[in-house]
Amino acid sequence: MNDSIQLAACLCRKFEGLRLHPYVCPAGYWSIGYGNRALANGAAVTAKTAPITQQQAEALLVFTLAGLRVKLRQLVRTQLSPNREGALLDFQYNLGTAALAGSTLLKYLNAGHDIAASDQLLLWNHMHRNGQLITVPGLTARRHAEWLLWSGVTPCDPQPAAPSPIPTDQLNAAEIDRVKENA
């Protein structure tokens, strides 16, 4: 496996998990599949979005990563190995193109400082909660996996994950209630 999209998809599967029904992610967004906030036609995922199949989730993941790779290649002014591009694609999938575009990571990478750029991956393991910046173990693990991939190690199984056996409503009841209250 040496295609950057497949390498990134591997990390996305591992860290996003697969849910075939709409759910509210920890950041408060309606999502489906492997953490997609939009469908292939550009429509935003909502509570009323129809469930999808595992095959549709896989196709949506690859479609999304392919679109992100186009944007990534516009931002990066240096040659990337598939592993490094895959690591950056997962980072971009998780945090967004704007976060990558304005990052010190990208500045270091484009300046030819590969080691400093890779170390920047590890710093993006925080989120805001109740006005405080906190370290999130899941983000720490994801950034470490990206760093390993950047370094040439493939830290995940390339096989797609099975759907969660727990219904989305049980997994996200509190998040769904919170979103409805704020709507």
Side-chain angles (χ1 to χ4, degrees):
M1 176 172 57
N2 61 2
D3 175 64
S4 63
I5 290 176
Q6 291 306 314
L7 292 165
C10 188
L11 289 180
C12 289
R13 285 185 204 102
K14 178 177 182 173
F15 290 101
E16 296 289 343
L18 174 60
R19 299 197 183 104
L20 302 177
H21 292 75
Y23 66 97
V24 177
C25 76
Y29 299 105
W30 282 102
S31 304
I32 199 163
Y34 294 104
N36 277 89
R37 292 172 41 193
L39 302 173
N41 65 5
V45 176
T46 68
K48 296 180 181 181
T49 299
I52 60 175
T53 66
Q54 184 171 355
Q55 293 77 18
Q56 289 170 318
E58 286 292 323
L60 183 58
L61 175 61
V62 171
F63 175 81
T64 302
L65 288 169
L68 291 174
R69 185 166 69 179
V70 170
K71 294 175 186 177
L72 176 65
R73 288 178 175 176
Q74 293 170 348
L75 294 171
V76 175
R77 295 188 308 263
T78 186
Q79 187 68 29
L80 293 174
S81 69
N83 278 48
R84 289 182 178 187
E85 189 172 71
L88 290 175
L89 281 172
D90 183 68
F91 179 92
Q92 185 182 11
Y93 186 91
N94 181 233
L95 298 169
T97 301
L100 177 62
S103 70
T104 303
L105 184 163
L106 183 64
K107 289 176 185 137
Y108 284 156
L109 179 62
N110 283 336
H113 305 296
D114 292 359
I115 294 171
S118 71
D119 288 346
Q120 286 292 306
L121 285 169
L122 300 173
L123 301 178
W124 289 78
N125 64 341
H126 300 81
M127 69 178 279
H128 290 284
R129 182 177 290 152
N130 300 324
Q132 300 290 321
L133 192 62
I134 61 167
T135 301
V136 180
L139 290 178
T140 300
R142 189 171 192 160
R143 299 292 91 86
H144 183 70
E146 290 165 352
W147 184 86
L148 286 173
L149 181 58
W150 178 284
S151 302
V153 177
T154 303
C156 62
D157 182 357
Q159 296 303 314
S164 172
I166 302 170
T168 300
D169 291 341
Q170 290 176 12
L171 288 172
N172 297 294
E175 285 294 317
I176 291 170
D177 289 343
R178 184 183 63 76
V179 170
K180 287 179 182 175
E181 287 174 10
N182 294 328

